[in-house]
Amino acid sequence: MPKDSGIGASSKRREDVRFLTGAGNYTDDINIRGQAYVYFLRSDIAHGRIKSIDTSAAESMPGVVRVFTGKDFEGVGGMPCGWEVTDKHGAPMQEPPHPILAQGKVRHVGDPIAAVVADSLEQARDAAEAIDVDIEELPAVLDMKAAAEEGAPLVHDDLKNNICYDWQLGEADDAKVNEVFANAAHVTTLELVNNRLVANPMEPRVAVAEYSRGTDEYTLYTTSQNPHVIRLLMCAFVLGLPEHKVRVVAPDVGGGFGTKIFHYAEEAFCTFAAKACNRPVKWTASRSEAFMSDAQGRDHVSKIELALDADNNFVGLRTHTYANLGAYLSTFSSSVPTWLHGTLMAGNYKTPVIQVNVRAMFTNTVPVDAYRGAGRPEATYQLERVIDKAARELGVDPVALRRQNFITQFPYDTPVALTYDTGDYNGTMDKLEQAADFAGFPARRAESEARGKLRGLGVNCYIEACGIAPSNIVGMLGARAGLYDAATVRVNATGSISVMVGAHSHGQGHETAFPQVVADMIGIDESMVEIVHGDTSKIPFGMGTYGSRSLAVCGSAMVKATEKVIDKAKKIAAHLLEASEADIELKDGQFTVAGTDKSVAWGDVTLTAYVPHNFPLEVEPGLEETAFYDPANFTFPAGAYACEVEVDPETGQVTIERFTAADDFGNIINPMIVDGQVHGGIGQGIGQALLENCVYDENGQLLSASFMDYAMPRADDVPFYTVDHSSQTPCTHNPLGVKGCGEAGAIGSPPAVVNAVIDALQSGGKAVDHIDMPVSPSRVWAAMNS
């Protein structure tokens, strides 16, 4: 029977009440008395040298408070990168400056040149149009391979070339790798593109900042997934402010998907301008502005080779990838094509020799950084597409080929620097075959063929690394911050609990799932537990929410803090019951003396903690504890996905008929929330596979800069999903046994969709090996008719 409450129960999301009734408090809802408005004048060319900026006309226009240009930020730090990557020769990456407002050059369409602060947004926009900017247009470099060529236009004049780093992981001996491939019985090669995406959360980015001259304190309200990290970066690297004088608040946030992890120039600008103008200032991105200024995702071009022996065992894997970083290094962009991508190239398989090569390039495009999955979708897509192609070339069943090469013994050290602690890949595949009704597929294919349609079945396995950790290891790999998290559990005198957490909730359901854990540990009702997050003045220092780390990392800190609270409460209960502390048990909100009927309620103990009459001298009054948790390893959720599509051979239209996901997330806290996370991820993965594509023309103009041109998935583009997460191998190194679940759907779905389309075309006699995403009707039709 399903549980009604606590760990394992599908408790309804308590935060949804305010969202569905319009009572949410988003950053754009925040308006401060006397605030001014910011409008950014952005470059309309991709690459150019700024010869002059005349702001005199703008400064004299009605309502204008002040006009800022790059000169106002000379001597101010630029936007920092949070991860230094060392290339395969041991040299640090090329790391050019990233100014708040353009200085000397513009490097992509949307690069901010000037900012106008005015009494109203309309006045700021009108004044920005009056700024006279003389820019000498320069040749733009957009193609990653062209950017690597000698003589290519330099995105940054002070760099020797456009290559940020040339990185390698796995087997360093090229001769050994070459020998493995030379001796292989079969080698499958595939070249593919992982298309560039725009995250497009429902809520655009917003920043509201104010400065108090009386206290010399700043407050920044922003749409962020990690307010403490924003404060740290802005204070330590950009504006040089004393951290204790800066408060960063991320209230309700309407979706992030990774694009709101990063510290953006607009946040730093508003904080700087609030003091410079002695007024609160507010900036809200328009949707078209978001297309040009939000960090974009993916954008890899790869060649992957898989070597197999005569028995179809994987013996070697080699990849060469060009990764587009855009015009500047975003906060974590350098880590995405390297440590978040290369380390996952082993997948679910026991391949003994793996070599991963990545060249990261600067181009005259919007910066690229983490987007839901961040590196793991890119790795999974390469691996699962080449395995499918190998199965077809060898004439073997793609599921059987995967099963034959699955890792089955744990822990398992991969050739690419990870240790998988636990898993059961055959178990998830068993669940998939049953839930997706593989046995009934031939009949469904025949029914489609009778209607003149081609039906295909695509299968995909994935593994991902969540909760990036531990700090000492990632520090050695170049991370410029620790990746722990923290929680404070404050028990009130009446027994209710406030839990202050470093993780930030922007759709994950923390306000529901986190109380389930604490309430279950103590045995009280979930309604007695409140979660506080998003405000650096209220919460312990935490690293925020990304990389499916919230429950595994911050949740573990919360468990440890709750355990401290329980330990202290037992001391008080022992005193009240006149018993030994070792004999005190806590269950269902009652402290009892083992083997007796003597008990005292949770509320009586908590009241005693704050009204300490006849209190034991060795116990301090109060009941509040803090814990920091630095994980010992990643968590490794894994799964198997199946997609069935119909293809119309007359038009190339692809329709997804069925989609099944079998995931292993370890122990499950709230099954309903996990279902929702998987559903959302699959929707985004289907969007990438069939619809979404960020396209620049030869001059660097963003052609897909609105919803008229960028095809977001709609309800009729996705099917009803079948989701199963009953195959559970608990994580061995965190107290909850949990693994991340938020990104799995976006990782596992794109290759499943593309594999299904290729299978459908093959069933119709079309000799099509591969179609790059998005697999649009025009691309499918062209492939069928080429």
Side-chain angles (χ1 to χ4, degrees):
M1 291 289 293
K3 291 184 65 176
D4 294 328
S5 63
I7 293 175
S10 288
S11 301
K12 290 184 178 180
R13 285 170 39 115
R14 62 169 74 175
E15 51 266 72
D16 285 353
V17 174
R18 70 174 185 273
F19 296 149
L20 295 173
T21 58
N25 183 39
Y26 296 89
T27 307
D28 195 51
D29 294 325
I30 297 170
N31 294 289
I32 303 170
R33 181 179 177 86
Q35 75 186 15
Y37 296 82
V38 182
Y39 185 86
F40 289 96
L41 177 66
R42 298 181 182 274
S43 175
D44 58 2
I45 66 171
H47 193 199
R49 198 173 311 281
I50 301 173
K51 299 178 70 175
S52 65
I53 305 176
D54 184 355
T55 63
S56 56
E59 290 168 349
S60 63
M61 292 182 69
V64 172
V65 177
R66 183 167 169 180
V67 179
F68 295 84
T69 67
K71 286 187 177 181
D72 294 293
F73 292 91
E74 291 176 355
V76 175
M79 309 310 297
C81 179
W83 199 300
E84 182 181 56
V85 170
T86 301
D87 74 10
K88 63 184 179 182
H89 305 295
M93 66 188 186
Q94 296 198 94
E95 191 171 358
H98 182 182
I100 293 174
L101 297 176
Q103 297 176 354
K105 286 176 72 175
V106 292
R107 295 181 173 88
H108 67 88
V109 172
D111 208 357
I113 300 170
V116 179
V117 179
D119 291 336
S120 72
L121 178 59
E122 293 74 19
Q123 290 171 324
R125 184 186 298 114
D126 290 345
E129 292 176 357
I131 298 174
D132 184 13
V133 183
D134 184 8
I135 298 179
E136 175 192 354
E137 190 165 359
L138 301 172
V141 59
L142 307 162
D143 179 82
M144 287 176 272
K145 292 184 178 180
E149 294 175 359
E150 188 174 346
L154 287 176
V155 178
H156 296 273
D157 296 342
D158 52 345
L159 302 186
K160 58 185 179 182
N161 52 39
N162 293 316
I163 303 172
C164 180
Y165 50 74
D166 190 349
W167 182 83
Q168 186 170 287
L169 183 67
E171 179 55 60
D173 187 345
D174 291 347
K176 180 178 179 180
V177 177
N178 291 337
E179 182 181 5
V180 168
F181 278 83
N183 294 332
H186 182 85
V187 174
T188 295
T189 302
L190 182 61
E191 296 189 29
L192 47 78
V193 173
N194 207 290
N195 43 321
R196 183 185 279 232
L197 303 175
V198 180
N200 286 314
M202 290 181 69
E203 177 199 27
R205 289 191 297 115
V206 185
V208 184
E210 63 176 329
Y211 172 71
S212 169
R213 290 197 177 277
T215 60
D216 190 32
E217 291 177 336
Y218 300 78
T219 300
L220 170 67
Y221 302 92
T222 183
T223 47
S224 174
Q225 297 176 216
N226 46 2
H228 265 297
V229 174
I230 302 307
R231 186 179 76 166
L232 173 63
L233 295 176
M234 188 166 61
C235 292
F237 299 102
V238 187
L239 301 180
L241 303 174
E243 198 171 358
H244 65 287
K245 292 289 188 179
V246 178
R247 175 190 177 204
V248 175
V249 182
D252 290 328
V253 172
F257 312 123
T259 199
K260 291 176 181 172
I261 297 171
F262 325 118
H263 181 30
Y264 285 98
E266 293 87 357
E267 294 167 321
F269 174 84
C270 288
T271 305
F272 180 91
K275 180 177 182 179
C277 298
N278 196 26
R279 287 179 66 173
V281 296
K282 181 175 186 175
W283 169 75
T284 301
S286 66
R287 184 59 66 179
S288 60
E289 195 173 16
F291 270 94
M292 297 186 297
S293 64
D294 289 2
Q296 297 172 355
R298 313 288 191 250
D299 208 356
H300 287 190
V301 176
S302 300
K303 177 183 178 181
I304 181 168
E305 301 168 279
L306 176 64
L308 303 94
D309 66 16
D311 296 320
N312 295 339
N313 298 308
F314 300 167
V315 293
L317 185 76
R318 176 167 55 194
T319 72
H320 292 271
T321 290
Y322 284 85
N324 198 343
L325 297 176
Y328 302 101
L329 283 169
S330 179
T331 307
F332 293 113
S333 59
S334 55
S335 66
V336 174
T338 51
W339 298 109
L340 300 185
H341 159 248
T343 52
L344 271 297
M345 285 309 306
N348 309 61
Y349 311 103
K350 49 182 186 289
T351 311
V353 176
I354 301 176
Q355 186 183 76
V356 181
N357 299 275
V358 178
R359 275 188 159 193
M361 310 304 303
F362 293 112
T363 64
N364 293 116
T365 61
V366 172
V368 176
D369 209 319
Y371 172 72
R372 197 171 192 169
R376 287 91 85 195
E378 295 90 319
T380 301
Y381 183 66
Q382 292 179 62
L383 187 57
E384 293 299 310
R385 283 292 299 117
V386 80
I387 291 173
D388 241 46
K389 187 174 183 229
R392 188 165 292 112
E393 291 172 350
L394 293 166
V396 300
D397 178 72
V399 172
L401 182 61
R402 288 175 168 87
R403 284 187 182 272
Q404 175 180 335
N405 288 280
F406 277 159
I407 297 162
T408 56
Q409 300 294 320
F410 297 90
Y412 178 81
D413 294 327
T414 76
V416 279
L418 295 181
T419 299
Y420 302 164
D421 64 325
T422 185
D424 181 7
Y425 309 145
N426 277 301
T428 52
M429 185 61 79
D430 291 341
K431 295 286 186 181
L432 180 73
E433 291 200 29
Q434 179 181 0
D437 185 23
F438 280 22
F441 175 72
R444 294 192 293 274
R445 170 172 274 176
E447 190 274 332
S448 294
E449 290 174 350
R451 293 185 286 103
K453 302 293 178 67
L454 305 177
R455 195 176 190 102
L457 171 63
V459 177
N460 162 72
C461 297
Y462 79 89
I463 187 169
E464 65 162 319
C466 300
I468 306 171
S471 294
N472 64 320
I473 299 298
V474 297
M476 294 188 323
L477 300 179
R480 289 166 169 163
L483 291 170
Y484 55 87
D485 224 298
T488 296
V489 175
R490 177 180 299 159
V491 182
N492 301 307
T494 55
S496 63
I497 300 174
S498 297
V499 183
M500 284 68 75
V501 293
H504 184 277
S505 183
H506 44 278
Q508 293 83 358
H510 294 176
E511 293 175 40
T512 301
F514 282 12
Q516 288 180 250
V517 174
V518 176
D520 195 86
M521 293 177 69
I522 297 171
I524 58 177
D525 192 88
E526 295 163 18
S527 63
M528 295 179 66
V529 184
E530 171 201 30
I531 302 300
V532 180
H533 67 96
D535 186 339
T536 59
S537 70
K538 296 180 180 179
I539 61 177
F541 194 104
M543 297 306 294
T545 297
Y546 45 85
S548 301
R549 70 192 304 272
S550 299
L551 196 57
V553 183
C554 188
S556 294
M558 184 177 65
V559 168
K560 289 183 172 294
T562 305
E563 288 173 343
K564 291 182 181 180
V565 164
I566 292 172
D567 288 345
K568 183 174 180 180
K570 283 182 175 180
K571 289 182 171 64
I572 300 171
H575 175 72
L576 293 175
L577 295 169
E578 298 180 330
S580 168
E581 182 186 337
D583 293 332
I584 299 297
E585 297 175 346
L586 173 60
K587 185 178 180 181
D588 297 331
Q590 290 285 123
F591 293 91
T592 60
V593 181
T596 75
D597 59 358
K598 296 175 62 178
S599 68
V600 61
W602 167 257
D604 293 329
V605 171
T606 61
L607 182 63
T608 301
Y610 290 94
V611 187
H613 301 305
N614 191 26
F615 208 71
L617 294 177
E618 70 274 12
V619 179
E620 295 179 356
L623 199 52
E624 177 177 323
E625 299 289 346
T626 296
F628 285 76
Y629 177 75
D630 198 347
N633 193 1
F634 295 87
T635 69
F636 296 100
Y641 287 7
C643 177
E644 285 187 35
V645 302
E646 272 193 349
V647 178
D648 185 338
E650 297 297 321
T651 64
Q653 178 67 40
V654 176
T655 304
I656 297 180
E657 297 294 328
R658 298 161 67 103
F659 200 104
T660 307
D663 297 287
D664 174 6
F665 296 132
N667 293 333
I668 303 295
I669 302 301
N670 186 310
M672 182 188 69
I673 287 178
V674 171
D675 285 352
Q677 289 290 298
V678 175
H679 287 185
I682 293 172
Q684 286 184 277
I686 289 172
Q688 176 174 14
L690 295 182
L691 299 161
E692 299 180 47
N693 200 22
C694 184
V695 180
Y696 292 85
D697 71 10
E698 66 276 7
N699 298 312
Q701 296 295 328
L702 183 58
L703 300 180
S704 51
S706 74
F707 290 148
M708 294 294 290
D709 304 294
Y710 187 91
M712 295 282 284
R714 301 179 299 182
D716 58 356
D717 292 311
V718 298
F720 287 97
Y721 310 117
T722 300
V723 174
D724 182 284
H725 38 72
S726 61
S727 178
Q728 298 176 7
T729 58
C731 174
T732 60
H733 55 79
N734 69 53
L736 288 167
V738 297
K739 305 176 183 179
C741 71
E743 297 168 288
I747 295 168
S749 52
V753 174
V754 178
N755 286 345
V757 173
I758 300 301
D759 184 60
L761 300 187
Q762 292 276 341
S763 75
K766 307 297 183 181
V768 179
D769 286 321
H770 179 70
I771 303 173
D772 276 324
M773 300 185 291
V775 185
S776 61
S778 62
R779 289 184 174 185
V780 174
W781 189 91
M784 288 191 296
N785 290 280
S786 62

